[in-house]
Amino acid sequence: MKLEVRNVTKTIKHENTYMEILKGVNMECQSGEIVAIVGNSGSGKSTFLNILAMIDTCSSGEYYIEGMDVFRLSDNDRVDFRAKNIGIVFQQYNLINNLSCYDNVKIPLYVNHTVSKKDRDKWIREKLEMVGMTHRMSHFPKTLSGGEQQRVAIARAIINEPKIILADEPTGNVDLENEQQILKLFRSIAKKGKLVIIVTHSQNVMAFADTVYKINEGYLEKTK
């Protein structure tokens, strides 16, 4: 699977001024890679990640996944494509506090009509086992440590077997030991033929990644 971004720009209007957040960004990556995107706060990292996640739109440019220009999809097709092909991991975990770990992981399956109800339990248990959280599946997020919550969030992100995992500062709220555990999880995911893209400030994540891109003044440069 190949992901390719061509000449993507993002301009926003702030009061009476137009601001160029992204200026002709280009990127190309493949299945099996871990890619880190770095840059100063406010450089446009999260904006770019949201465009890759198809949550935000760009001002111009092209975005291809497996040769398909996903910007040309209709709104409904875009939602369906994202649900099946892209998993997202957030810095703040974004787990629902009144749902158990099991039920949090289950949520994305509701929009995946290719998985039968009888198979859902198997899928959920497999993903929780992969992240080492089967013993906590009935627990609620507030009873878990930050590292445990992030592992549940990763299980949720991969439940639909997406081709691409996008992570926004996934180790920003955990200690070094948990950071290493999370990175090992991402490596195991990449080895299964997935593409993992991580926005980060962490030097450890940058060193761990196969490829590193830096955003500076709206431009994206490959540095590793």
Side-chain angles (χ1 to χ4, degrees):
M1 190 277 300
K2 181 179 179 181
L3 180 151
E4 188 175 4
V5 172
R6 299 178 186 171
N7 299 315
V8 162
T9 68
K10 179 69 174 181
T11 303
I12 62 172
K13 186 177 182 180
H14 178 66
E15 297 179 347
N16 294 320
T17 304
Y18 286 93
M19 301 174 59
E20 289 185 283
I21 307 300
L22 301 174
K23 304 173 183 177
V25 165
N26 295 279
M27 184 175 78
E28 186 175 312
C29 36
Q30 305 275 355
S31 299
E33 277 190 279
I34 294 179
V35 179
I37 299 175
V38 303
N40 296 329
S41 296
S43 63
K45 302 187 304 298
S46 292
T47 296
F48 184 45
L49 197 75
N50 286 337
I51 290 171
L52 294 178
M54 302 167 68
I55 295 171
D56 196 0
T57 58
C58 64
S59 300
S60 64
E62 299 169 303
Y63 176 20
Y64 294 92
I65 297 175
E66 293 188 312
M68 176 189 296
D69 187 352
V70 297
F71 287 157
R72 295 183 178 274
L73 294 173
S74 67
D75 290 344
N76 288 339
D77 287 344
R78 189 179 299 117
V79 170
D80 185 60
F81 184 89
R82 181 174 63 235
K84 293 178 180 177
N85 293 280
I86 298 175
I88 305 174
V89 180
F90 303 93
Q91 180 177 357
Q92 303 296 337
Y93 323 130
N94 287 13
L95 299 176
I96 298 174
N97 286 324
N98 63 348
L99 293 180
S100 68
C101 295
Y102 180 98
D103 287 329
N104 267 282
V105 174
K106 186 178 182 179
I107 290 171
L109 288 174
Y110 289 117
V111 296
N112 187 348
H113 303 300
T114 63
V115 182
S116 66
K117 289 184 179 180
K118 67 177 182 179
D119 286 335
R120 286 177 182 173
D121 180 69
K122 178 184 176 183
W123 281 46
I124 295 165
R125 290 176 183 273
E126 284 178 349
K127 297 305 182 290
L128 284 168
E129 181 178 2
M130 182 177 175
V131 302
M133 289 297 292
T134 51
H135 65 299
R136 303 281 263 168
M137 70 170 70
S138 63
H139 291 238
F140 291 86
K142 285 186 177 181
T143 69
L144 307 180
S145 69
E148 288 175 327
Q149 289 188 63
Q150 193 60 291
R151 282 188 277 155
V152 173
I154 291 170
R156 180 185 59 191
I158 63 175
I159 188 65
N160 280 328
E161 293 288 346
K163 298 179 176 69
I164 302 165
I165 306 298
L166 303 176
D168 193 357
E169 296 283 1
T171 63
N173 289 336
V174 301
D175 59 24
L176 180 60
E177 181 180 352
N178 277 293
E179 180 177 59
Q180 292 302 314
Q181 289 181 344
I182 289 167
L183 291 178
K184 286 178 182 178
L185 276 175
F186 283 137
R187 179 60 69 192
S188 67
I189 291 167
K191 284 182 177 179
K192 293 179 182 295
K194 314 298 184 181
L195 170 61
V196 180
I197 300 177
I198 306 172
V199 162
T200 186
H201 284 102
S202 169
Q203 293 292 330
N204 293 327
V205 177
M206 293 180 218
F208 189 82
D210 303 305
T211 306
V212 178
Y213 285 90
K214 182 176 182 180
I215 293 184
N216 184 36
E217 296 185 353
Y219 296 100
L220 190 69
E221 177 188 6
K222 188 175 181 179
T223 63
K224 176 184 174 183

